[in-house]
Amino acid sequence: MDKQRIAVLGSTGSVGASTLDVVARHPDRFEVFALCAATRVDEMLAQCRRFRPQVAVMADEAAGRELARQLEAHGLPTRVEVGPSAVDAVASHEAVHIVMAAIVGAAGLSSCLAAARAGKRLLLANKEALVVGGEVFLAAVREGGATLLPIDSEHSAIFQSLPEDPASWDERVEKIILTASGGPFRTRDPASLRQVTPEEACAHPNWVMGRKISVDSATMMNKALEVIEARYLFGLPPERLEVVIHPQSVIHSMVQYRDSSVVAQLGTPDMRVPIAYGLAWPGRVASGAQALDFSRLADMSFEAVDSRGHRDRFPGLQLAWDCLRAPAGTTAVLNAANEVAVAAFLDRRIRFDQIHALNLATLEAVPVSKPRALGDLLELDGRARRSAEAGIARLP
């Protein structure tokens, strides 16, 4: 079997590091062609020393110069390139078979589109490609003949639980049920959420994640974005998408069929499982994750997200269905507003409970028209961000 050459976009983040961990376990199957990161020079240098990629891309110019200097000092042959266009270039490079899209936020949209148009096997850990890109992104996947495989644990679980033939999904499936851990504030008094610190919000009880997605989990905005992503990935209407809180994070999501049977995917909360599935699909390879020990497995529990307490704790979740029923492009506004709001919270410029208020105000302030190309998406994203930044000063 010829080795599959991989470009890891966002290699120094948690998903990127987990991807490289899986790749390292199968040197006979995979080799790293390119690594891409933003500013983390030391981590990128260590990855280059271990995996010897042909290309290393740094989004930040100063970081790229420093990486090039250090690579030369260590006698490493990896070529350094700089900037977003270089990320797009490696995502669509003719030598690359698999692209792991793990750049956080709307910044990863352009490279996802490049990989899709080039017909790559695209492992999508960047949910914003669908939340922001929507039909524009799906059109690029179709036109390029790309293979789109979800890497979010929930969407990978759904994909593994669906029939093999996508044409049968609408007829055979009653609904998709995404599970949510509830994050660190599942049982916290909603009235106390205004006092939440960034450190508390980033302390997820089950998963090890970056700061932005950890905050999204604490607000359950991550689940709102995942509902939107599921709508585009699997084609079911919003009313057939459901969320249930499952604090143990053992069942990663479920599919309920027309006959009322439910198929679920279970596993330990380890991103290497969906990553390994995406790398090897339709086969399977060892991920390095621990297997479930059913003899020690605690009782599994589930909670409705529409209970009064959870509605007060997680008001942003409902925005997923509201935005999906609104004009095309509304989901991109929600994503941009939330990125600004989370960054402001992490910088201690707004309170935790003001994240939802800022998202809601931005949705109300920004008019949308159907985006038809990347330029339209970026223009809408920019307007939403400017509106959100301006809205910070108006928060009570």
Side-chain angles (χ1 to χ4, degrees), residues 74 94 115 165 209 231 236 253 274 306 319 339:
H74 285 83
E94 62 181 7
D165 179 16
M209 304 181 293
R231 167 70 182 94
L236 297 187
S253 278
D306 60 357
L319 294 178
E339 287 192 18

Side-chain angles (χ1 to χ4, degrees), residues 41-221:
V41 173
D42 291 344
E43 291 95 325
M44 177 63 91
L45 175 63
Q47 291 177 350
C48 289
R49 294 181 68 179
R50 182 176 184 187
F51 293 96
R52 303 297 176 103
Q54 292 190 35
V55 185
V57 179
M58 301 300 290
D60 179 78
E61 185 174 347
R65 289 195 299 269
E66 176 60 19
L67 177 64
R69 187 188 69 78
Q70 294 202 32
L71 287 172
E72 183 178 4
H74 285 83
L76 296 173
T78 298
R79 182 175 77 255
V80 176
E81 297 183 359
V82 174
S85 62
V87 181
D88 293 355
V90 297
S92 58
H93 197 285
E94 62 181 7
V96 171
H97 301 105
I98 301 172
V99 174
M100 168 55 76
I103 296 173
V104 175
L109 176 58
S110 179
S111 55
C112 284
L113 284 167
R117 293 190 183 108
K120 304 303 182 184
R121 172 180 290 210
L122 180 52
L123 309 189
L124 193 64
N126 173 300
K127 59 175 59 68
E128 289 80 9
L130 282 164
V131 174
V132 178
E135 291 298 335
V136 173
F137 176 66
L138 291 180
V141 171
R142 290 191 297 268
E143 292 164 7
T147 300
L148 183 62
L149 297 172
I151 299 301
D152 270 354
S153 62
E154 295 82 1
H155 299 96
S156 177
I158 293 164
F159 184 66
Q160 294 180 58
S161 301
L162 284 166
E164 290 187 5
D165 179 16
S168 71
W169 291 350
D170 183 63
E171 178 183 357
R172 297 173 63 184
V173 172
E174 180 68 26
K175 62 182 177 180
I176 286 171
I177 305 167
L178 293 98
T179 57
S181 70
F185 307 134
R186 179 178 62 85
T187 61
R188 182 156 171 163
D189 180 358
S192 72
L193 293 177
R194 65 182 290 130
Q195 280 85 44
V196 164
T197 67
E199 291 75 21
E200 290 174 313
C202 291
H204 195 281
N206 298 338
W207 296 90
V208 177
M209 304 181 293
R211 281 163 60 82
K212 195 269 181 181
I213 193 172
S214 294
V215 175
D216 282 346
S217 180
T219 62
M220 274 186 64
M221 182 52 65

Side-chain angles (χ1 to χ4, degrees), residues 186 188-191 193 303-315:
R186 179 178 62 85
R188 182 156 171 163
D189 180 358
L193 293 177
E303 302 166 11
V305 296
D306 60 357
S307 64
R308 177 58 184 273
H310 287 331
R311 284 200 303 270
D312 293 341
R313 288 185 193 93
F314 309 119

Side-chain angles (χ1 to χ4, degrees), residues 88 106-111 113 132-133 136 332 336 371-386:
D88 293 355
L109 176 58
S110 179
S111 55
L113 284 167
V132 178
V136 173
R372 301 184 182 279
L374 176 60
D376 299 334
L377 293 168
L378 296 178
E379 191 274 334
L380 180 58
D381 177 81
R383 280 197 289 120
R385 288 174 190 275
R386 290 190 294 273

